[in-house]
């Protein structure tokens, strides 16, 4: 009898085969810090790249900051201008999200430090954004209101509505007028939009809620340290914005630099004191404090100075984009605005893909889509590709642009319904005082 042994594998092959089946080579990991305009766009732009994308943020949502002032003035609820990151990027297979606080970066070890341990990276995109710049004015930091996140907007809403409730109960005329005096500081788009919306909330809506209060006791002031509003716009539009604000009962004052406030009084440089319980600070922005602690070269506003390809000098695997990045175009720093963050995100994602293919990175080129500012009902100014528009046409343009940019069909729909309701019925739905 012949013993026939049938080998399960040819000998030569079995000798070559290791005991453990090899895993496919791990793909490079791109860690993105910040799920704002820049970070979210970068994650999306890498959806087809041969990488794993890990997005880190301290919040589980993406916030549409340009409409925050409407939350502060009771026009919209926070969930109408924010959306969970996991829902936005649910369909992206190379994507993971972690809700963590980023506390630093170890560039040598290629690890992001977080409150939940280190996160290693092959490529890093820092899209940390900005924060309110109080220029070291401690009284304003303590007693004024900034407008950067959802909690700021709700704090303003609660405080303004609370001032009206307290004013109704206040027998002393002077104290009542101080409760009903609202000071907005900063004549940029946020200050202009905030002052216009606040005045309309009071004159069109709250006046009906508080019939026993004398509307003549109410003041909304917009204080600007220079001699102009909306500085980058042409003179004709700047003047139109100021005129419209006056028509909407906002007292616009130029050359008025605020120095201090204590929750009952606002003090200007030069000594003038305005009795006012509310100061909303829209006079400055800077990169988040973390950028200064990373050990990277920073420039104006604490922003990280990046190369034209958006990389960090000496760390070509690290990109900084959006408000946190400092880059000049035509001798001027790129503004801390959403289109800059979005376009930089696209460029950084493209440069990462190019590096993976062994191609050199391309320099970032900013295309300015123009600027818009609304001044309440039926009024706005727009400056797009050298063409200036004001009034109703600019206002409709503003509405369309903002609805298109909002993320999520549900948010678009609810915001549209809200705006239509407020427009036709002179209402503001979100007038609850949820905390004082
Ligand atoms: C009130 C307001 C109104 C504005 N209006 C306009 C406008 O009308 N038009 C316009 O173009 N621009 C406007 N801007 C500016 C615009 O919102 C910013 O330029 C844009 O958001 C910058 O995008 P970004 O990705 O750099 O940062 P952001 O969008 O600010 O995102 C940064 C993200 O990083 C996260 N983050 C920060 N630090 C940490 C940390 N340590 N750990 C974890 N996560 C962290 C934050 O939670 C945030 O999600 C406005 C800004 C504000 C505040």
């Amino acid at each position: 009898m012949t013993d026939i042994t049938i080998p399960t594998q040819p000998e030569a092959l079995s000798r070559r085969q290791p005991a453990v089946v090899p895993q496919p080579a791990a793909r490079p990991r791109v860690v993105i810090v910040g799920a704002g305009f820049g970070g979210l766009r970068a994650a999306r732009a890498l959806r087809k790249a041969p990488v794993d994308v890990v997005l880190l943020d301290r919040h589980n949502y993406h916030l549409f900051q340009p409409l925050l002032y409407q939350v502060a003035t009771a026009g919209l609820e926070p969930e109408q201008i924010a959306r969970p990151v996991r829902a936005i990027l649910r369909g992206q297979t190379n994507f993971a999200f972690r809700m963590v606080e980023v506390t630093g970066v170890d560039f040598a070890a290629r690890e992001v430090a977080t409150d939940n341990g280190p996160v290693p990276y092959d490529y890093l995109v820092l899209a940390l954004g900005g924060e309110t710049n109080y220029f070291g004015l401690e009284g304003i930091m303590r007693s004024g209101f900034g407008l950067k996140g959802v909690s700021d907007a709700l704090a303003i809403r609660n405080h303004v509505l609370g001032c009206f409730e307290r004013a109704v109960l206040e027998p002393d005329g002077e104290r009542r007028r101080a409760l009903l005096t609202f000071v907005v500081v900063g004549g940029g788009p946020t200050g202009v939009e905030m002052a216009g919306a606040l005045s309309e909330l009071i004159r069109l809506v709250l006046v009906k809620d508080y019939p026993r209060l004398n509307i003549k006791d109410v003041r909304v002031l917009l204080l600007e340290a220079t001699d102009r509003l909306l500085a980058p716009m042409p003179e004709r539009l700047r003047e139109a914005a100021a005129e419209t604000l006056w028509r909407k009962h906002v007292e616009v004052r130029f050359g008025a630099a605020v120095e201090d406030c204590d929750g009952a009084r606002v003090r200007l440089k030069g000594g003038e004191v305005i009795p006012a319980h509310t100061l909303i600070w829209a006079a400055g922005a800077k990169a988040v404090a973390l950028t200064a602690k990373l050990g990277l070269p920073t420039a104006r506003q604490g922003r990280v100075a990046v190369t034209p390809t958006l990389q960090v000098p000496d760390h070509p695997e690290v990109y900084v984009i959006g408000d946190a990045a400092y880059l000049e175009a035509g001798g001027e720093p790129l503004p801390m605005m959403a289109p800059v963050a979005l376009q930089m995100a696209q460029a950084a994602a493209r440069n990462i893909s190019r590096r993976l293919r062994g191609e050199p990175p391309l320099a970032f080129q900013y295309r300015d889509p123009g600027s818009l500012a609304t001044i309440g009902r039926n009024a706005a100014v727009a400056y797009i590709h050298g063409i200036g528009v004001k009034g109703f046409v600019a206002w409709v343009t503003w509405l369309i642009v903002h609805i298109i940019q909002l993320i999520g069909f549900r948010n678009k729909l609810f915001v549209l319904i809200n705006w239509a309701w407020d427009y036709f019925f002179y209402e503001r739905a979100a007038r609850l005082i949820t905390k004082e």
Side-chain angles (χ1 to χ4, degrees):
M1 216 167 108
T2 332
D3 182 22
I4 305 171
T5 317
I6 304 173
T8 48
Q9 282 181 325
E11 217 183 335
L13 184 62
S14 75
R15 245 188 277 120
R16 259 188 270 124
Q17 198 86 11
V20 178
V21 180
Q23 298 296 311
R27 302 200 297 178
R29 175 190 265 195
V30 182
V31 172
I32 301 171
V33 184
F37 283 98
L40 195 71
R41 176 61 66 90
R44 274 178 161 171
L46 287 166
R47 67 191 177 284
K48 290 190 181 146
V51 295
D52 289 322
V53 177
V54 180
L55 180 58
L56 313 178
D57 200 296
R58 60 161 71 102
H59 299 123
N60 76 333
Y61 56 81
H62 167 77
L63 176 65
F64 190 76
Q65 293 170 29
L67 289 179
L68 260 182
Y69 80 94
Q70 295 213 359
V71 175
T73 52
L76 295 172
E77 292 287 359
E79 56 272 26
Q80 291 167 342
I81 63 161
R83 196 149 188 253
V85 176
R86 290 179 188 277
I88 299 170
L89 293 175
R90 193 181 281 153
Q92 187 168 326
T93 50
N94 67 345
F95 170 77
F97 175 70
R98 293 187 196 170
M99 192 175 101
V100 289
E101 177 75 28
V102 171
T103 52
V105 179
D106 183 338
F107 293 104
R110 295 194 179 181
E111 281 178 353
V112 176
T114 79
D115 58 356
N116 194 43
V119 181
Y121 66 83
D122 297 299
Y123 295 95
L124 177 63
V125 180
L126 293 171
L128 287 156
E131 63 184 31
T132 305
N133 191 351
Y134 293 98
F135 302 100
L137 298 169
E138 280 179 18
I140 295 170
M141 240 184 280
R142 232 182 357 258
S143 308
F145 292 87
L147 184 60
K148 182 63 194 169
V150 168
S151 54
D152 298 329
L154 289 176
I156 293 173
R157 182 180 95 183
N158 285 329
H159 176 81
V160 168
L161 297 174
C163 281
F164 273 83
E165 291 299 338
R166 284 164 64 197
V168 172
L169 303 174
E170 179 55 66
D172 180 82
E174 229 166 84
R175 280 207 291 267
R176 194 169 54 245
R177 279 189 288 280
L179 280 164
L180 297 177
T181 299
F182 303 92
V183 174
V184 179
V185 188
T190 302
V192 166
E193 295 187 336
M194 186 71 212
L198 191 55
S199 188
E200 286 195 340
L201 166 70
I202 294 166
R203 304 229 159 222
L204 302 180
V205 185
L206 297 186
V207 74
K208 296 184 281 187
D209 287 357
Y210 301 91
R212 292 181 57 196
L213 284 176
N214 185 353
I215 192 72
K216 287 193 184 131
D217 284 348
V218 178
R219 287 175 80 192
V220 176
L221 293 99
L222 178 60
L223 306 184
E224 165 56 43
T226 69
D227 62 353
R228 58 191 57 186
L229 301 179
L230 304 174
M233 292 222 175
E235 194 178 345
R236 186 172 70 87
L237 297 182
R238 295 201 308 260
E239 282 174 1
E243 268 171 40
T244 311
L245 283 167
W246 275 104
R247 266 207 319 278
K248 290 180 186 277
H249 306 277
V250 176
E251 296 172 39
V252 183
R253 287 179 55 180
F254 295 107
V258 174
E259 207 171 52
D260 197 12
C261 77
D262 63 4
R265 277 167 298 270
V266 173
R267 202 181 70 232
L268 307 192
K269 238 182 213 158
E272 185 186 348
V273 172
I274 302 170
H277 282 246
T278 310
L279 179 138
I280 298 166
W281 185 256
K286 59 178 181 178
V288 291
L290 180 62
T291 53
K293 297 178 194 148
L294 296 175
L296 299 174
T298 54
R300 251 193 273 172
Q301 296 165 296
R303 300 160 82 185
V304 176
V306 291
T307 65
T309 53
L310 306 178
Q311 287 156 300
V312 170
D314 302 330
H315 297 288
E317 71 287 356
V318 180
Y319 296 77
V320 186
I321 61 172
D323 284 3
Y326 183 90
L327 186 66
E328 292 185 358
E332 288 293 319
L334 288 171
M336 294 171 78
M337 295 195 72
V340 176
L342 292 169
Q343 291 180 33
M344 281 185 162
Q346 211 70 42
R350 188 189 54 213
N351 279 345
I352 290 173
S353 296
R354 287 179 68 86
R355 263 190 72 141
L356 291 170
R357 294 194 298 267
E359 297 168 8
L362 297 176
F364 173 66
Q365 302 245 308
Y366 179 57
R367 293 173 309 281
D368 184 356
S371 49
L372 289 158
T374 178
I375 317 153
R377 205 180 167 77
N378 297 341
V381 285
Y383 189 57
I384 300 167
H385 301 306
I387 299 169
V389 195
K390 57 183 182 168
F392 186 73
V393 175
W395 182 68
V396 173
T397 311
W398 182 92
L399 290 182
I400 294 169
V401 166
H402 283 74
I403 282 292
I404 290 171
Q405 287 179 345
L406 259 180
I407 288 183
F409 177 72
R410 183 183 179 278
N411 285 4
K412 290 181 204 284
L413 183 68
F414 279 89
V415 168
L416 258 181
I417 292 171
N418 245 290
W419 284 350
W421 187 272
D422 293 356
Y423 188 80
F424 290 114
F425 298 105
Y426 291 82
E427 269 294 349
R428 295 283 173 88
R431 299 209 297 283
L432 307 186
I433 299 174
T434 49
K435 196 176 155 221
E436 171 70 342

